[in-house]
Amino acid sequence: MAQHDYLQELNEQQREAVLWGEGPLLVVAGAGSGKTRTLAYRVAHLIEKGVAPEKILLLTFTRRAAREMLNRAASILGDRASVTSQVWGGTFHAIANRLLRIYGKVLDLAPEFTIMDQSDAQDMLQVIRHKVIDKKVKGRFPRKGTLLAVYSRRINSGEELDDILKHWYPWCERWQEELKTIFREYVSLKQERSILDYDDLLVYWRFLLSDSAAAKQLGERFDHVLVDEYQDTNRLQADILEGMRKTNRNIMVVGDDAQSIYSFRAAMVRNMLDFPTLFPGTKTVLLEHNYRSCEPILVTTNEVIGQAKNRFSKTLFSTREGGERPKLVTCNDEAHEATTIVEQVLRHYEEGIALREQAVLFRAGSHSAALELELIRREIPFHKWGGLKFLEAAHIKDFISLVRLLENSRDEIAWFRVLQLFDGVGPSTASAVYAHVASRAFNATVLSEAGVSPKISRELMPLGRMFSDCGSESSLQVQLDRVQKLYLPLLEKNYENAAPRRNDIEHLIELAGQYRSRSRFLAEITLDPPNSTSDFAGVPSREEDHLVLSTIHSAKGCEWNAVYLIHAADGCLPSDMATGSDDEIEEELRLAYVAMTRARDHLYVTWPMRFYSRPQGFSDGHIYGQCSRFFSAGVVETMEQVAAPGCDGGDTAVDINTSIDVKSQLRGLWD
């Protein structure tokens, strides 16, 4: 496709961003305004005007987003489409891994370093926790998940531990010194074992940039840096981007401050708001043409986000004709809300809107409990987004741990997981075997000399043979076949329902076929794992229709014909756990905005007037709710207010030709 053709597909603001020349560029892209197209066409334009593809760095938050953008860029480059494979495109963590493989020597990183996923990092912290903390206090001491969350926030936000505990984990303040001890040991263990966690990848990248010679070389490696979803970056990522642009200022960031909803992951909306200050001379382009929603929905959502104090001022508009006003629906209680939602879903289904084109969104996973029961009762299929990720499944972790040991025999967490798959091997025996391997310079082929019982020694012989066989075999595919041969009998012994698990292993090996090396495969599968085996399998032969249930956070970036935002009551949205400061309340406001801007044609916001709890004494065990503070008078004016069928209250006015002077009678009580 010729240049003028694809440029004509862009609106004026998108075209301005794509054709921008040199220097920093900030694209404030409203919901549904075509930011993916803008980034993809920018990549194509740079290549077309002579920038070497390998000199372009495209940073995204998912591998899928990078792949989609590069595929789009390829589609408009015609005969030169293949050059997009040379673009450095991927997530921050994946790009960090590539750079550290190249520059690791500068940072004293072993070339065979392996990467832990979050659950392995938690397990390592748990081991240290057992060593450091007295058994008497374990019940009150933070668990492994909290430990990793505190550690990760300290690394990503740059905040002091004291401030983090006071603001985010006040119940952990008394354990500050113990936490420091655990984190020091955690860092030491990782360094001894040549293991990095997710946070380390970015930390090492930032430290690499602290050296002027390395920073100059890294900066000159890329003529242009492009960043997607910039509003979701944290302090550490912002520091990296600043370090990457010391030698030239060609950086384009795209994002929407109104959709910054990940402060719990240390994301900072200020990164976006302060970008023009950090990069003087920044050109700012607003993308306000929304291609997703009908105009009545945008009128409401513009009014919602207009309440935010700290934001880039923009007003989204649509050229789509028609559409109905969003509805604000009052319900009696949670059960009534559930039946109301189901009836409306079925009504739209009969009108031709498939279940999969409808979504129910909520602030917290627990908010959908009553709805799930009603959907089950009515036999309506649904899929709730979230749950166990593919890489978190026990059998997948087993298999990956075996491959990690081939890559890095110092990986203590992988050893402990693998060894305990064998009969008779518990934590103590695993510890003894690991100590033996460590004493032999981590030579994994000496398992038979570990000094364990003859029975266990026989059990471990196949593992030792696997290491010997793979040591002389360079082909990744052959190595994985050998690992599979060892693992499948262990799978049969350790897990019920082994057949689908075997299929998962086969899919994993199939996926590995696209990687040139074991280290690349391990890094990619750890940094950006598929959500489920369906990510491997491709398009299913039979598509089942199902309603989507999702938290607002999981729904970001998606869209549906009909969206139902439930539990829009104070205490739920905003969450009563996130009203401690103006910044927290403003992020909750942005959550409401993100949820509502997922809708193309139909938007329903529902709230229950009563929330029931376990009855006590003569009480019926309910509390009264009130509609979310985010639905101000100005917002409500843009919506259609309705009481759900069967509602015994709500905001519907009743016309009675009587006037009762309650006020004077109350005053009279005290005369």
Side-chain angles (χ1 to χ4, degrees):
M1 187 183 294
Q3 177 177 335
H4 68 275
D5 289 331
Y6 76 78
L7 291 178
Q8 286 178 359
E9 295 176 10
L10 304 171
N11 64 40
E12 183 181 344
Q13 291 73 33
Q14 291 172 333
R15 192 157 47 245
E16 185 179 10
V18 167
L19 296 178
W20 174 246
E22 303 284 310
L25 174 65
L26 170 63
V27 179
V28 183
S33 62
K35 71 174 180 63
T36 300
R37 169 180 284 187
T38 303
L39 272 168
Y41 284 28
R42 173 69 173 169
V43 171
H45 172 69
L46 289 173
I47 293 172
E48 198 169 59
K49 76 171 192 175
V51 177
E54 67 273 14
K55 303 278 278 183
I56 299 172
L57 174 60
L58 172 64
L59 291 163
T60 64
F61 275 82
T62 66
R63 182 170 54 183
R64 186 170 293 173
R67 187 165 56 237
E68 180 184 351
M69 289 177 200
L70 293 177
N71 285 343
R72 284 201 191 189
S75 70
I76 61 177
L77 284 172
D79 295 340
R80 302 190 61 202
S82 61
V83 301
T84 57
S85 64
Q86 300 168 40
V87 172
W88 280 59
T91 65
F92 275 87
H93 294 88
I95 296 298
N97 173 64
R98 286 184 67 183
L99 290 172
L100 295 182
R101 301 288 174 186
I102 298 170
Y103 297 97
K105 188 176 180 181
V106 177
L107 300 161
D108 195 28
L109 267 178
E112 72 275 8
F113 75 82
T114 47
I115 304 165
M116 286 192 296
D117 65 18
Q118 290 199 319
S119 62
D120 285 331
Q122 288 181 9
D123 289 344
M124 181 178 281
L125 284 165
Q126 180 73 347
V127 170
I128 300 167
R129 181 181 182 275
H130 277 291
K131 294 177 183 175
V132 172
I133 304 304
D134 189 284
K135 290 182 180 178
K136 295 175 185 174
V137 301
K138 281 186 182 175
R140 293 172 288 144
F141 194 80
R143 303 292 182 184
K144 62 183 183 180
T146 305
L147 291 175
L148 183 60
V150 173
Y151 175 86
S152 187
R153 186 165 198 94
R154 171 75 180 90
I155 298 298
N156 285 286
S157 70
E159 301 168 51
E160 294 297 328
L161 179 60
D162 185 50
D163 294 332
I164 290 171
L165 296 180
K166 281 179 181 175
H167 184 74
W168 296 94
Y169 305 93
W171 62 279
C172 298
E173 277 191 89
R174 60 181 294 201
W175 304 110
Q176 185 167 338
E177 291 308 312
E178 288 83 356
L179 291 176
K180 287 181 179 178
T181 301
I182 288 173
F183 296 151
R184 278 194 294 268
E185 178 66 16
Y186 177 59
V187 170
S188 296
L189 261 182
K190 288 186 295 178
Q191 291 174 356
E192 288 171 16
R193 312 300 186 220
S194 298
I195 299 171
L196 303 187
D197 62 21
Y198 288 162
D199 298 325
D200 289 327
L201 290 164
L202 300 187
V203 169
Y204 275 79
W205 187 359
R206 185 184 64 185
F207 274 110
L208 184 61
L209 291 165
S210 67
D211 177 82
S212 57
K216 184 175 185 295
Q217 193 175 132
L218 272 174
E220 291 174 350
R221 178 179 278 270
F222 303 107
D223 289 343
H224 289 267
V225 174
L226 291 74
V227 187
D228 186 25
E229 303 285 12
Y230 187 67
Q231 78 281 348
D232 292 336
T233 55
N234 56 43
R235 173 66 180 275
L236 179 55
Q237 289 163 324
D239 287 347
I240 287 169
L241 291 171
E242 185 182 8
M244 291 291 290
R245 296 292 80 188
K246 292 293 186 187
T247 52
N248 87 47
R249 309 294 273 177
N250 293 335
I251 179 170
M252 172 188 183
V253 300
V254 181
D256 184 4
D257 54 298
Q259 297 187 65
S260 179
I261 58 174
Y262 292 110
S263 67
F264 65 94
R265 295 182 188 163
M268 294 174 60
V269 69
R270 291 242 58 97
N271 285 347
M272 187 159 183
L273 298 174
D274 295 342
F275 185 83
T277 303
L278 186 62
F279 291 93
T282 291
K283 168 73 174 177
T284 300
V285 175
L286 302 181
L287 301 187
E288 299 175 294
H289 187 166
N290 179 288
Y291 294 91
R292 176 187 299 153
S293 305
C294 60
E295 186 65 20
I297 289 175
L298 293 181
V299 170
T300 298
T301 54
N302 283 334
E303 195 71 33
V304 168
I305 200 61
Q307 300 170 90
K309 296 183 181 70
N310 298 308
R311 70 186 187 102
F312 287 104
S313 180
K314 60 183 179 298
T315 302
L316 299 187
F317 66 91
S318 174
T319 51
R320 289 184 55 202
E321 296 182 358
E324 59 183 27
R325 295 168 73 196
K327 291 182 172 62
L328 181 61
V329 185
T330 305
C331 305
N332 289 332
D333 51 32
E334 294 170 277
H336 186 216
E337 182 182 52
T339 57
T340 300
I341 294 294
V342 169
E343 290 300 328
Q344 189 59 55
V345 165
L346 293 176
R347 192 171 297 119
H348 279 312
Y349 179 74
E350 292 301 321
E351 292 169 355
I353 301 178
L355 293 178
R356 65 182 175 277
E357 287 296 336
Q358 304 185 58
V360 182
L361 307 183
F362 31 83
R363 172 64 177 85
S366 59
H367 294 167
S368 66
L371 177 61
E372 290 177 50
L373 291 174
E374 182 65 13
L375 290 169
I376 292 168
R377 188 182 73 80
R378 300 285 290 271
E379 298 184 343
I380 298 172
F382 66 91
H383 187 123
K384 187 172 182 179
W385 286 9
L388 192 68
K389 302 292 185 185
F390 183 82
L391 200 61
E392 293 169 1
H395 57 294
I396 297 297
K397 287 188 70 64
D398 294 343
F399 191 86
I400 292 295
S401 292
L402 280 161
V403 183
R404 277 170 49 186
L405 288 179
L406 293 178
E407 183 68 13
N408 176 14
S409 59
R410 296 173 179 267
D411 194 332
E412 185 176 8
I413 296 298
W415 271 113
F416 271 67
R417 183 174 195 95
V418 166
L419 289 170
Q420 291 181 80
L421 292 170
F422 294 87
D423 283 348
V425 179
S428 297
T429 304
S431 183
V433 173
Y434 176 77
H436 170 73
V437 173
S439 71
R440 301 297 181 87
F442 293 96
N443 178 1
T445 63
V446 298
L447 291 173
S448 59
E449 306 164 16
V452 293
S453 70
K455 181 182 177 184
I456 293 176
S457 185
R458 285 194 298 273
E459 276 285 319
L460 296 179
M461 283 176 63
L463 181 60
R465 282 198 299 270
M466 184 205 77
F467 285 116
S468 298
D469 293 347
C470 292
S472 58
E473 176 53 62
S474 59
S475 164
L476 173 61
Q477 207 65 36
V478 172
Q479 288 183 16
L480 294 184
D481 288 341
R482 184 66 186 84
V483 173
Q484 182 185 34
K485 182 180 177 182
L486 169 79
Y487 180 64
L488 289 184
L490 297 172
L491 174 68
E492 300 282 350
K493 264 198 282 188
N494 285 285
Y495 299 102
E496 296 178 358
N497 198 19
R501 297 175 190 265
R502 282 197 305 272
N503 291 338
D504 287 349
I505 300 299
E506 288 171 7
H507 284 310
L508 192 61
I509 293 173
E510 193 176 307
L511 177 72
Q514 63 186 274
Y515 296 99
R516 295 189 302 273
S517 69
R518 188 174 58 206
S519 62
R520 187 70 181 269
F521 165 67
L522 283 171
E524 293 287 338
I525 200 70
T526 305
L527 293 174
D528 193 9
N531 288 323
S532 66
T533 52
S534 63
D535 282 14
F536 291 143
V539 179
S541 57
R542 181 174 57 86
E543 190 170 357
E544 182 190 4
D545 198 13
H546 56 256
L547 180 67
V548 175
L549 274 55
S550 175
T551 62
I552 301 171
H553 286 100
S554 296
K556 187 169 172 290
C558 302
E559 57 185 68
W560 295 272
N561 282 350
V563 167
Y564 310 83
L565 174 58
I566 66 173
H567 272 45
D570 256 39
C572 299
L573 185 67
S575 166
D576 54 7
M577 301 294 289
T579 54
S581 68
D582 290 344
D583 286 345
E584 287 180 327
I585 293 172
E586 194 144 304
E587 178 156 328
E588 293 291 299
L589 173 66
R590 295 195 294 266
L591 268 170
Y593 174 78
V594 167
M596 297 168 72
T597 52
R598 302 308 95 198
R600 295 192 196 106
D601 301 306
H602 306 280
L603 174 61
Y604 303 85
V605 179
T606 66
W607 69 282
M609 292 189 296
R610 291 186 291 274
F611 292 86
Y612 285 93
S613 57
R614 182 175 296 178
Q616 295 183 358
F618 294 104
S619 167
D620 63 357
H622 75 265
I623 58 172
Y624 285 100
Q626 65 179 44
C627 189
S628 169
R629 69 189 74 179
F630 301 144
F631 294 89
S632 62
V635 174
V636 171
E637 280 181 13
T638 68
M639 306 178 76
E640 182 182 343
Q641 279 187 276
V642 297
C647 185
D648 56 20
D651 297 325
T652 307
V654 179
D655 187 17
I656 300 177
N657 294 320
T658 305
S659 178
I660 304 172
D661 188 2
V662 177
K663 295 177 181 177
S664 63
Q665 292 189 55
L666 286 174
R667 289 195 301 269
L669 291 175
W670 311 106
D671 289 342

